[in-house]
Amino acid sequence: MRFSRSFVRSVVRHVRLYVMTCVLVCAYTACAQSVPYKFDLGINLGMSGYLGDANRANLMSHPGFDGELSFRYIGDARWAVRGLFSVLGLSGNTKDMKDVLPGGAEYSFSSTVYDLGARGEFNFFPYGIGETYKRLRRWTPYLTVGVGVAMASVSGKSYIAPTIPMGLGVKFKISERWNLGAEFTMTKSFSDNFDGENLSDLNQIKTAFYKNTDWYSRFTIGISYEFGKRCETCHYVD
């Protein structure tokens, strides 16, 4: 089958127009969602809570201290990847529980947890400050989920386990580089020994390892500083 030259030229023109349109749309999207800086370094302080064999309901029954250092790669105004190192304290006492343990036994524990993890963040609104054409907002709620590894030191022994943190938070820009944030996360540890070996099977009921595990929460307030100037692709300024 042969095509006329006019038909071929028409197809070529339409393809060129389509490609140019796609390029312009992609460039506009990248520009509209871009932010001035690529990295973010922060510190967070707050309190931790524990759920496990020695506490089944109230996260705040034995609050502990939590301190965090964070490093964030800012992909664009909506997405970021964040690494955190946290040190937190966990404690609990079965005397506070309504459950009666076999033989009327009572147990308590206190542990220190060192947590290292990586998380993805999704902002509900395009987050930033600057040119109005980018439609950035100075504040946004966000969701976060990730993976990590933690080591708990309790009763002179150490236990290491993988973890899955998940949570939500809110960010607010004080200025172009400085941010305030508040975040609440729940972390599932794939270990039943973060509260000590004595509490690993209080009810003497065998369950799968992924069910009978310890959880810990963190509520933090922090401040961060952005750096690493990003090359500008759009040059329009209000």
Side-chain angles (χ1 to χ4, degrees), residues 106-237:
E106 293 182 355
Y107 299 94
S108 64
F109 83 97
S110 179
S111 67
T112 301
V113 177
Y114 304 90
D115 183 292
L116 180 64
R119 306 178 191 173
E121 290 181 358
F122 173 73
N123 300 326
F124 282 76
F125 308 131
Y127 180 62
I129 188 172
E131 296 86 348
T132 56
Y133 80 98
K134 294 182 179 180
R135 301 182 183 275
L136 302 178
R137 296 199 184 190
R138 295 184 70 157
W139 72 277
T140 182
Y142 65 90
L143 294 176
T144 181
V145 65
V147 294
V149 62
M151 182 183 74
S153 177
V154 52
S155 301
K157 296 183 178 180
S158 297
Y159 306 93
I160 299 176
T163 61
I164 299 179
M166 58 200 84
L168 53 89
V170 62
K171 307 172 186 176
F172 175 76
K173 271 201 169 295
I174 306 172
S175 64
E176 185 180 39
R177 292 196 182 205
W178 289 97
N179 308 272
L180 285 177
E183 183 180 88
F184 176 79
T185 58
M186 287 293 297
T187 301
K188 178 181 177 63
S189 69
F190 288 89
S191 171
D192 196 30
N193 292 321
F194 277 24
D195 46 19
E197 287 184 345
N198 291 333
L199 282 78
S200 62
D201 190 18
L202 292 180
N203 292 308
Q204 301 175 9
I205 299 173
K206 297 298 182 180
T207 58
F209 82 96
Y210 58 86
K211 293 182 180 179
N212 195 27
T213 56
D214 299 324
W215 291 72
Y216 51 91
S217 67
R218 284 169 283 182
F219 177 75
T220 59
I221 296 174
I223 189 168
S224 64
Y225 177 77
E226 296 179 10
F227 63 98
K229 189 74 173 178
R230 179 175 268 114
C231 295
E232 295 185 8
T233 54
C234 291
H235 305 285
Y236 174 79
V237 178

